Structures are given as structure tokens and as C-alpha cells.
Amino acid sequence: MRKSPLSHPIQFALSLFLAVAVVGLAVYKGPELLQAFTRVRPEWVLAGAVFFAANYCLRALRLTTLSPDPLRFWPQAVRTACLHGMASFLFPLRSGDLTLPVLLKSANATPLTVGTRMLIKARLLDVAAMGAWMAAAALVLPAAIPFYFRCAWLALALPMAGAPWILKGMGRLGSRFTTGWLGRMADAAAQADFSPRLILQLSLIH
């Protein structure tokens, strides 16, 4: 039996907000948008649509990989990834990123604590990926960059690349060394799986 949209109030509210925003923009900027659309090349529109869909399919696949509980790729993970992306882009200061635990609870009955750990884990892996790319750039790129600048760049990159495991170790040390928001992040990292197999999976879909 098909569920009513009202059975998922958070997703329904975000979808309604997006619809109102799109209609409002169309009414307010209608002539300018129409003029811009007439200058767009159809092949670029098609390419953008394909990559946009692929982006959110990969985001959904990432959620299913990070989730400790069974999470169906379609429609739960795809819907959650789309709404989470929309909230991240539209809410100020990317505060929409914090909606992920609520969206997961609405879509899959995932407890808020588990959803929060998933969000922390995902962002720690983002930091690690960025640090790894920064370290690779500092070591490999042939650009004429002063040696001390490369060293400083590498000194920043290496802790970023190791952030998940650093926080995991801090979490295992206990609250004596970590308090406040850092303590909560360390506690979440201590309970997270950062195995090489998971890192490889997420690297392929990141």
C-alpha cells in the first residue's frame, strides 16, 4: 500500500519548501530566466542533468555504505540524499547539513544518535580525502612552489588525512582528554568503522 506524503512530515516539508522556492523564483525572475534558457545549448543541459543525477545516486550509495542498519538504495537513500543536498544548498551557512539525522529517521527509522554518527563519520572522511589530495599535490605537483610552502602545506595536509584515526584514538582515551563538541566527535569516531575496505568503497563513490 502506497504511503501518504504526510507519513514522512520532514521530507514533505522540505519538498514543499523546495517547490515554493522554485515557483517563487520563477514568478520573481521569470523573464530573466526565460531569456537565459533560450541561450542554453541543449547538449549542455542534458550533460548537466546526467551528472546531477549521477551525483545524487553516488551520494545515496554512500549513505547505504555508511549506514550500520539496512538502508534501501531506492527510494529511501536516493530521496534522503536529494533532500539533504537541497537543504545544504538552501539553508544559510550550510546549516542544512545538520538535517541528515532527521531525514534518515524519517526515511528509515534510523535513530538520531546513529544518524548523527553517520554525519560525523562522513565529514571526517571528507576531511581525510581532502588532506590526502593536499598531501599528494604538495609532494607530486611540479609547480614552482617554495620548499617551505610545500612543507607548511604538507604539515596541514597530513593531520587532515589522519583525522578519522586521530579522533578515534582520542575517543578511546576517554573524556579525560576530550570534552565538549570535540569529545562528542571523538566518541562518535571511536565507535565508527574506518577499515581499509570501507575507505576503498567510499573512495570509489566519493
Side-chain angles (χ1 to χ4, degrees):
M1 183 177 179
R2 187 179 179 87
K3 292 184 177 181
S4 165
L6 293 177
S7 63
H8 298 290
I10 302 298
Q11 295 184 7
F12 179 74
L14 287 173
S15 299
L16 182 62
F17 174 75
L18 178 61
V20 171
V22 170
V23 171
L25 183 63
V27 171
Y28 183 67
K29 293 286 188 178
E32 295 179 31
L33 289 174
L34 185 60
Q35 186 178 8
F37 284 141
T38 58
R39 298 196 299 265
V40 175
R41 295 170 58 180
E43 59 269 26
W44 286 112
V45 173
L46 178 61
V50 169
F51 281 103
F52 186 82
N55 174 43
Y56 279 96
C57 284
L58 291 174
R59 286 173 181 251
L61 185 59
R62 188 186 196 203
L63 288 177
T64 62
T65 305
L66 287 171
S67 177
D69 302 320
L71 177 63
R72 290 171 55 190
F73 176 80
W74 180 268
Q76 281 86 351
V78 171
R79 183 186 301 163
T80 300
C82 291
L83 290 173
H84 182 237
M86 181 270 292
S88 298
F89 287 130
L90 293 183
F91 289 10
L93 302 175
R94 289 189 62 86
S95 58
D97 200 33
L98 301 176
T99 61
L100 181 62
V102 179
L103 291 172
L104 286 169
K105 182 176 178 61
S106 177
N108 199 51
T110 301
L112 290 176
T113 53
V114 174
T116 302
R117 289 188 186 123
M118 285 176 61
L119 178 60
I120 292 173
K121 185 176 181 179
R123 293 301 161 254
L124 284 174
L125 290 170
D126 288 343
V127 172
M130 185 181 299
W133 282 110
M134 288 171 59
L139 293 172
V140 176
L141 285 183
I145 301 175
F147 177 74
Y148 64 85
F149 186 80
R150 283 183 185 270
C151 291
W153 192 256
L154 193 60
L156 176 64
L158 291 179
M160 290 176 62
W165 298 275
I166 293 171
L167 279 175
K168 191 177 183 74
M170 293 172 65
R172 287 175 174 172
L173 290 175
S175 58
R176 177 182 175 185
F177 299 95
T178 52
T179 57
W181 64 269
L182 182 60
R184 289 190 289 272
M185 288 187 65
D187 180 62
Q191 300 178 48
D193 170 29
F194 293 115
S195 63
R197 177 174 173 272
L198 177 66
I199 300 300
L200 178 61
Q201 286 178 328
L202 292 175
S203 298
L204 294 174
I205 62 177
H206 184 58

